[in-house]
Amino acid sequence: MKFEKFLKSLGGHGVIYTKGTDRWLASTTVLAKIPDSMVGVIAEKITEIPEGLRCFIDNDISNDPCELVKAVMPVANGGIKDCIRIFATESGDIRIPIANDEYTLIDRSDLLEINRTYNSVENTFEPKALIVREYNSNPDEDAEIVGIIFPVSNFKEDK
């Protein structure tokens, strides 16, 4: 995940969440792990990470690998900033839309997963967030979660 680009886009706004010795910088749609080497990050406030966000980091058993499958321009004469990127699991049964601004934060080498929840009323799985993991060259270690991107809430995909 391109942390420096995310940091620059916030311009001092946002919140720093702490989880043990880890620090996470958050906007309304993105949560990015602050690299250990970065010590001078400015935000509006610093607080303990809420349980709702902590679960995305601690409980990754609800994640399914995914990939970019589609880009949609919801506004006919819109610019690239209006583009919505659709990620889907291999089976295509779980799909998540994210805004183009958040898409630009993803590195080519990042591993992507959809965090999902079960909807017992409709008997389906629904996406909660796009999880961004940084590739780890050590085969004995899992790829580390470095970002969480939340879906575009008002977007309905035409299938």
Side-chain angles (χ1 to χ4, degrees):
M1 184 166 224
K2 299 174 184 169
F3 180 80
E4 289 81 6
K5 184 174 184 172
F6 177 57
L7 178 63
K8 185 177 178 181
S9 73
L10 288 181
H13 300 285
V15 176
I16 295 176
Y17 290 120
T18 59
K19 180 183 174 293
T21 59
D22 291 340
R23 298 173 303 143
W24 295 79
L25 182 61
S27 69
T28 56
T29 57
V30 177
L31 182 67
K33 186 171 185 198
I34 300 173
D36 293 337
S37 60
M38 191 151 301
V39 291
V41 177
I42 298 171
E44 292 175 349
K45 70 178 187 175
I46 301 172
T47 186
E48 179 71 22
I49 194 166
E51 188 59 36
L53 293 176
R54 180 186 293 268
C55 72
F56 288 108
I57 300 163
D58 294 343
N59 305 322
D60 61 356
I61 58 170
S62 296
N63 296 347
D64 294 317
C66 66
E67 61 183 21
L68 178 66
V69 294
K70 188 175 174 182
V72 178
M73 293 297 291
V75 180
N77 293 331
I80 191 66
K81 67 178 180 49
D82 300 315
C83 185
I84 303 293
R85 307 294 176 139
I86 311 292
F87 289 82
T89 57
E90 186 176 343
S91 63
D93 60 337
I94 306 173
R95 301 166 77 85
I96 188 168
I98 67 166
N100 195 66
D101 284 348
E102 284 77 22
Y103 173 75
T104 62
L105 300 174
I106 300 171
D107 275 326
R108 288 184 182 261
S109 61
D110 288 337
L111 304 172
L112 304 173
E113 301 170 338
I114 295 176
N115 180 276
R116 57 172 163 64
T117 187
Y118 183 69
N119 180 334
S120 59
V121 174
E122 296 184 24
N123 199 28
T124 59
F125 285 103
E126 296 176 348
K128 290 183 78 178
L130 183 70
I131 306 299
V132 181
R133 291 182 180 267
E134 189 173 69
Y135 176 75
N136 190 333
S137 59
N138 183 344
D140 295 331
E141 294 182 19
D142 289 334
E144 178 182 21
I145 295 175
V146 293
I148 299 167
I149 301 173
F150 295 98
V152 175
S153 59
N154 60 351
F155 177 77
K156 298 293 182 213
E157 182 181 7
D158 294 331
K159 293 192 179 183

